[in-house]
Amino acid sequence: MSFPISEASPVRFAATLPRRADVVVIGGGIIGVMTAWFLRERGLSVVVCEKGRIAGEQSGRNWGWVRQQGRDPAELPIMVESLSIWKQLALQMGEGLGFRQTGVLYLAKTEREIEGFEAWTEHSRAHQLDTRLLTARETMAMLKGAVAPWKGGLFTPSDARAEPWVAVPALAAAAEEKGVVIRESCAVRGIDLAAGKVAGVVTEAGRIACDQVVVAAGAWSRLFLGHLGIQIPQLSVLASVAATEPMPEIFPGNAADDDFAFRRRADGGYSIAPGARHDFFIGRDAFASLGVYLPVLKKDFRSTNFRPAAPKGFPDAWGTPRRWSLDRTSPFERQRILNPAPNRATLAEVQDSFAKAFPVLGRPKLKAAWAGMIDSLPDVVPIVDHAPIPGLTIATGMSGHGFGIGPGMGRVVADLVMGRPTGHDLSRFRLSRFGDGSPIQPGPSL
């Protein structure tokens, strides 16, 4: 079994496109959906255009963690707000989101990791989180049947989990009920400009006049913005995930070390994944961005499997065009959903590591495996900023952190679009940081 949302999935959101809207949001992941949600709550008319299916890419394919723990200090206050919104959403929408506050547990094998955990607790104290350091004995007591030699842990009981490919479409349906117009299988080919400002978008189904556009296109954002002459150093990495058959509960929440990560699922199994390993396809964008990525590359070099080329049609594939005409088929229509094959060898190592840590359970049996493309930036935090083109706002590069922070970030982006105070310092997320000589400072690798 592979990922349950594909181009073959029935179109669920097929609203008629209006001739005009206040805002058009490009991308039907959690950032796009929740931005539209809050824009609509503030009285604006909003259209969400998704070239494939809602949650068909990384917003549905992620681990399902809703975590404050380990966040970059600039993201943390937004994440605290986001967790509050998740709790409100769960009260409003019931069991459909799969939301549970079962905690996040990080597991340390070395004293250096313990030191990193200790350093991060400074941020948790600043925001009055319930995070606490655990001794080796306390850590082992939380995990049934564990025998791994962990030296300690970092635990935030208030952190949570949800079911991504169920939650995001459910949130989209609720947004639609609020009056958001959502259209799947509707690629935006480009933006129509008048006097240098946003005047509308050109979709494969026709033009929508608007004064504001939000680009929340995930792994496709660099390609889309490049066509407008806006360069961002975004690259994508492949992350493999698997779902196990139902298993006895060893821990009700989310846990990870460098070898493997797991999350308890609503179906009684676990989502398991490599704790730190990922795959990277080398393409034109990779060569163009090599210099700016050196700091993070030095940290992650050993945990990266390098591949010579992306699959045909992917944003950084060698044959993907960087220029196209708005009256013809675009790259976004040729590849509606990124559906890379998971790295089975890496997942097999995860199964082995899991079995070694929990020998009473043995090697977990997999019922499904999939992979997604994580949109990343050199400092591992997003771009959330106005673009040089008046009327254009960018919200991309969530770097694998987007699912949990999605509701809070959606609220922030909505107020950014409207010119209202966001309530948070967004300077770390500014677009200009990649061109104003600022040093690249990767966020915490926790």
Side-chain angles (χ1 to χ4, degrees):
M1 177 181 169
S2 59
F3 190 68
I5 301 175
S6 71
E7 194 172 334
S9 301
V11 171
R12 180 175 174 182
F13 300 93
T16 301
L17 295 182
R19 293 184 177 180
R20 180 171 184 84
D22 292 322
V23 187
V24 173
V25 177
I26 303 172
I30 194 165
I31 302 299
V33 167
M34 294 311 300
T35 296
W37 176 297
F38 285 103
L39 286 168
R40 184 59 191 148
E41 281 200 341
R42 284 146 176 71
L44 275 63
S45 58
V46 190
V47 178
V48 175
C49 292
E50 167 53 50
K51 64 181 176 55
R53 301 291 184 272
I54 295 294
E57 295 190 343
Q58 190 55 25
S59 282
R61 295 167 184 258
N62 62 83
W63 292 0
W65 292 30
V66 179
R67 67 174 175 90
Q68 302 160 105
Q69 184 167 292
R71 290 271 176 179
D72 187 277
E75 286 186 337
L76 187 52
I78 302 175
M79 185 58 226
V80 171
E81 178 185 351
S82 193
L83 181 61
S84 177
I85 297 171
W86 271 109
K87 290 191 283 187
Q88 296 169 26
L89 293 170
L91 288 174
Q92 296 169 18
M93 300 175 64
E95 298 293 318
L97 302 179
F99 179 82
R100 298 283 189 281
Q101 284 185 278
T102 47
V104 163
L105 174 63
Y106 285 170
L107 303 163
K109 291 183 176 179
T110 67
E111 292 298 334
R112 184 175 181 180
E113 289 173 316
I114 293 289
E115 290 171 3
F117 292 173
E118 290 175 342
W120 192 84
T121 59
E122 176 184 341
H123 306 303
S124 69
R125 288 192 297 269
H127 294 277
Q128 293 81 50
L129 302 188
D130 54 352
T131 305
R132 64 179 188 267
L133 283 165
L134 303 179
T135 65
R137 180 174 293 182
E138 290 171 330
T139 301
M140 299 300 284
M142 297 191 71
L143 299 163
K144 298 176 183 177
V147 299
W150 293 307
K151 294 182 178 295
L154 187 69
F155 183 51
T156 304
S158 61
D159 279 353
R161 58 183 171 91
E163 300 293 336
W165 70 66
V166 177
V168 179
L171 292 169
E176 192 174 54
E177 290 177 2
K178 290 177 177 290
V180 175
V181 174
I182 303 178
R183 179 76 172 261
E184 293 178 315
S185 198
C186 182
V188 175
R189 294 173 173 172
I191 294 177
D192 185 20
L193 302 176
K197 300 179 181 180
V198 168
V201 299
V202 178
T203 82
E204 63 180 291
R207 182 181 183 272
I208 307 171
C210 62
D211 297 321
Q212 299 280 346
V213 171
V214 177
V215 176
W220 296 91
S221 296
R222 178 173 184 156
L223 182 64
F224 184 89
L225 292 168
H227 190 254
L228 295 169
I230 300 171
Q231 304 301 321
I232 63 172
Q234 178 184 287
L235 299 174
S236 297
V237 296
L238 181 149
S240 299
V241 189
T244 74
E245 297 286 352
M247 301 171 63
E249 184 177 286
I250 52 174
F251 181 65
N254 321 318
D257 67 9
D258 281 346
D259 291 327
F260 65 95
F262 62 86
R263 169 182 66 86
R264 186 68 171 172
R265 298 162 53 85
D267 62 10
Y270 283 89
S271 286
I272 62 173
R277 294 200 67 82
H278 50 259
D279 294 66
F280 179 69
F281 297 114
I282 300 172
R284 285 186 289 180
D285 292 340
F287 281 103
S289 302
L290 178 61
V292 74
Y293 271 88
L294 281 176
V296 72
L297 185 62
K298 289 177 181 177
K299 291 176 66 176
D300 288 345
F301 186 82
R302 292 184 179 180
S303 62
T304 303
N305 300 313
F306 292 95
R307 300 192 189 184
K312 181 180 179 180
F314 275 43
D316 198 23
W318 291 100
T320 298
R322 268 46 178 178
R323 295 287 181 268
W324 55 88
S325 173
L326 302 190
D327 60 358
R328 296 184 181 181
T329 300
S330 70
F332 315 111
E333 295 149 78
R334 296 190 181 99
Q335 185 73 54
R336 293 195 181 273
I337 295 178
L338 295 176
N339 187 31
N343 188 324
R344 295 280 181 174
T346 299
L347 289 176
E349 291 174 3
V350 171
Q351 290 174 278
D352 292 340
S353 297
F354 189 96
K356 186 176 180 180
F358 300 97
V360 294
L361 296 180
R363 199 168 190 266
K365 295 180 180 179
L366 306 186
K367 71 174 185 179
W370 63 90
M373 300 302 295
I374 297 175
D375 50 317
S376 297
L377 287 163
D379 46 10
V380 206
V381 293
I383 295 171
V384 182
D385 199 359
H386 294 299
I389 298 172
L392 182 62
T393 301
I394 302 171
T396 193
M398 297 296 149
S399 302
H401 310 159
F403 179 68
I405 208 171
M409 191 63 82
R411 198 281 302 164
V412 166
V413 176
D415 283 338
L416 185 64
V417 168
M418 297 181 69
R420 297 169 44 149
T422 64
H424 299 291
D425 180 3
L426 304 183
S427 59
R428 177 135 163 81
F429 311 138
R430 70 193 186 282
L431 174 63
S432 64
R433 70 188 191 266
F434 299 113
D436 62 7
S438 299
I440 299 302
Q441 298 176 330
S445 54
L446 295 179

